[in-house]
Amino acid sequence: MSEDKNNQKEQEQKEQSNSFHGMVAMIGFFGGVFWSIIGYLSFTLNFIRVGPALILMPWALPDWKNGWLGQLVGIIAIGVVSIGVAFIYRLILAKINKLWPGAVFGFVLWALVFGLFNPMFPGLKPLTQLDINTIITSLCLYILYGAFIGYSVAYEYHERTVHEGESIQS
């Protein structure tokens, strides 16, 4: 009887941990889709020179990637990539239940995309050649995106560990 209780307890812990990982994936996907839609609106209103289709630029795709269909596919692709971003945040900073680490995380992501990974995107000018509106708007969007992902993941982690007493595996 004792062995059955231990097995049931282990299974409950796995389900709770899996539900946390599922929540991190949902936060990542939703955050990516939401903030890339805001980015598309910024692109449409000419606040920024690159839209969500930027993520498709490294691949040799037909001309549709430059139109509205490319922007839509870019939004979905950013949502999928954001799942990985949310898990990276979960591994590195989830234990800090504050807003600032997420904002800094967003700034680092912006620096990676517009600085380090810039040569991967043929449609993206070097950072020194971008107009000030594109720089400021994209930086703000990335900071807000990072704050959303970061605080949501940290809040969920905090709720599950502190309030529910759940043990979350790394």
Side-chain angles (χ1 to χ4, degrees), residues 4 19 43 87 94 98 100 109 139 142 154:
D4 288 337
S19 64
F43 173 72
F87 276 104
K98 303 266 188 242
W100 292 109
L109 288 175
L139 180 59
Y142 272 78

Side-chain angles (χ1 to χ4, degrees), residues 63 135 166:
D63 259 358
I135 292 171
E166 183 179 325

Side-chain angles (χ1 to χ4, degrees), residues 48-68:
I48 191 170
R49 298 282 177 239
V50 290
L54 176 70
I55 196 168
L56 304 175
M57 293 303 158
W59 290 280
L61 297 173
D63 259 358
W64 61 263
K65 74 178 177 183
N66 298 322
W68 67 270

Side-chain angles (χ1 to χ4, degrees), residues 4-71:
D4 288 337
K5 286 183 181 182
N6 286 340
N7 287 341
Q8 185 178 8
K9 189 175 183 179
E10 285 179 20
Q11 185 176 0
E12 286 175 9
Q13 284 180 343
K14 282 183 181 179
E15 287 175 7
Q16 288 174 342
S17 180
N18 287 342
S19 64
F20 174 69
H21 293 303
M23 185 61 78
V24 170
M26 271 186 10
I27 290 168
F29 184 77
F30 178 78
V33 168
F34 178 78
W35 288 106
S36 60
I37 288 172
I38 300 298
Y40 179 62
L41 290 174
S42 299
F43 173 72
T44 304
L45 297 172
N46 294 321
F47 289 121
I48 191 170
R49 298 282 177 239
V50 290
L54 176 70
I55 196 168
L56 304 175
M57 293 303 158
W59 290 280
L61 297 173
D63 259 358
W64 61 263
K65 74 178 177 183
N66 298 322
W68 67 270
L69 184 58
Q71 300 296 337

Side-chain angles (χ1 to χ4, degrees), residues 13 16 157-168:
Q13 284 180 343
Q16 288 174 342
Y157 182 87
H158 181 74
E159 285 295 307
R160 289 177 184 257
T161 56
V162 173
H163 293 294
E164 296 176 12
E166 183 179 325
S167 169
I168 297 175

